[in-house]
Amino acid sequence: DAGVIQSPRHEVTEMGQEVTLRCKPISGHNSLFWYRQTMMRGLELLIYFNNNVPIDDSGMPEDRFSAKMPNASFSTLKIQPSEPRDSAVYFCASSPDSREFNEQFFGPGTRLTVL
Amino acid sequence: AQSVAQPEDQVNVAEGNPLTVKCTYSVSGNPYLFWYVQYPNRGLQFLLKYITGDNLVKGSYGFEAEFNKSQTSFHLKKPSALVSDSALYFCAVTYTGGFKTIFGAGTRLFVKA
């Protein structure tokens, strides 16, 4: 099993540019999560999908952030336009289903630097 | 409000000594408790979880955790620490009827040779 796959692993961009982060969850997993990790704020849940449908996006910081899950094997997180304060490590995680007692499987993360 | 507290930013222990990383929680409903570990430049990795039943849960790499309902705690323990255990440890909780996993701020463990 390849685990959760994220791309790119590192992204350096300039303020104002569009950034797209990609995630492939573990095959057969129905729940997908996007997190952001910073030293100041720790691990923050941005959005949660179940069966490709966004269930809770209350953690999305602003309208500049958007996420999609067009099918069970792919999700994107887009930032447009990007700002320096968006610099962080972004993690995607998946879980077999939406039951509360399931653990999450995290990808390796994308380290985003916005100059 | 639902919350998880890891009262120690950092724990230092000598190799071979027992280690404890503390976690307390506050949720409505029945809690489901998790520990994850994060090594440098890696994603979080699941260690163990408590759902129900025996209060002592055993997980990966020799780690275990004890659920204490009266103290609302779920401390992570290992009888003999290894240098390779040095990492960032996160406690997390979900609860009956909730779908969000609430993560603690993390505790950095340093194991000295």
Side-chain angles (χ1 to χ4, degrees):
Chain A
D1 190 342
V4 176
I5 299 173
Q6 291 187 248
S7 65
R9 292 295 309 277
H10 302 274
E11 177 80 34
V12 180
T13 190
E14 293 188 347
M15 182 173 63
Q17 297 298 306
E18 177 179 298
V19 174
T20 299
L21 311 181
R22 296 171 176 79
C23 174
K24 176 179 169 55
I26 293 173
S27 177
H29 281 194
N30 295 329
S31 294
L32 183 139
F33 308 82
W34 282 101
Y35 291 91
R36 177 172 68 177
Q37 186 178 38
T38 61
M39 289 292 291
M40 291 297 293
R41 295 184 175 181
L43 197 64
E44 302 173 275
L45 176 65
L46 300 177
I47 188 169
Y48 156 57
F49 291 88
N50 191 49
N51 292 323
N52 312 337
V53 175
I55 303 300
D56 182 11
D57 65 356
S58 61
M60 296 286 261
E62 311 168 24
D63 291 345
R64 297 185 297 108
F65 285 69
S66 62
K68 294 182 180 180
M69 193 165 185
N71 58 62
S73 59
F74 184 65
S75 177
T76 60
L77 178 68
K78 185 177 293 186
I79 308 173
Q80 166 64 16
S82 58
E83 296 183 3
R85 59 192 168 122
D86 301 331
S87 297
V89 181
Y90 290 82
F91 289 104
C92 175
S94 70
S95 187
D97 55 47
S98 61
R99 287 177 292 180
E100 306 95 334
F101 51 77
N102 283 321
E103 63 269 30
Q104 295 178 24
F105 296 79
F106 283 75
T110 296
R111 183 174 296 276
L112 173 65
T113 302
V114 183
L115 303 174
Chain B
Q2 329 294 342
S3 65
V4 174
Q6 293 182 244
E8 301 153 317
D9 291 336
Q10 183 171 310
V11 171
N12 298 311
V13 64
E15 187 174 34
N17 283 0
L19 70 87
T20 299
V21 182
K22 295 180 180 178
C23 172
T24 59
Y25 66 91
S26 175
V27 296
S28 55
N30 291 326
Y32 304 107
L33 294 147
F34 305 79
W35 277 101
Y36 291 83
V37 60
Q38 185 179 27
Y39 297 101
N41 302 312
R42 303 283 295 276
L44 277 69
Q45 181 178 338
F46 169 73
L47 274 180
L48 51 80
K49 67 181 176 183
Y50 171 82
I51 301 176
T52 187
D54 193 347
N55 289 343
L56 185 64
V57 179
K58 294 186 183 296
S60 306
Y61 312 121
F63 284 95
E64 58 188 29
E66 186 165 11
F67 171 64
N68 187 318
K69 186 174 183 178
S70 62
Q71 297 186 2
T72 61
S73 67
F74 190 57
H75 301 331
L76 181 70
K77 300 181 180 183
K78 187 173 182 180
S80 179
L82 300 172
V83 172
S84 57
D85 293 330
S86 299
L88 185 58
Y89 290 81
F90 290 93
C91 181
V93 64
T94 62
Y95 52 95
T96 309
F99 58 83
K100 273 187 182 179
T101 298
I102 303 160
F103 285 88
T107 297
R108 193 164 295 280
L109 174 66
F110 287 102
V111 181
K112 186 177 179 181

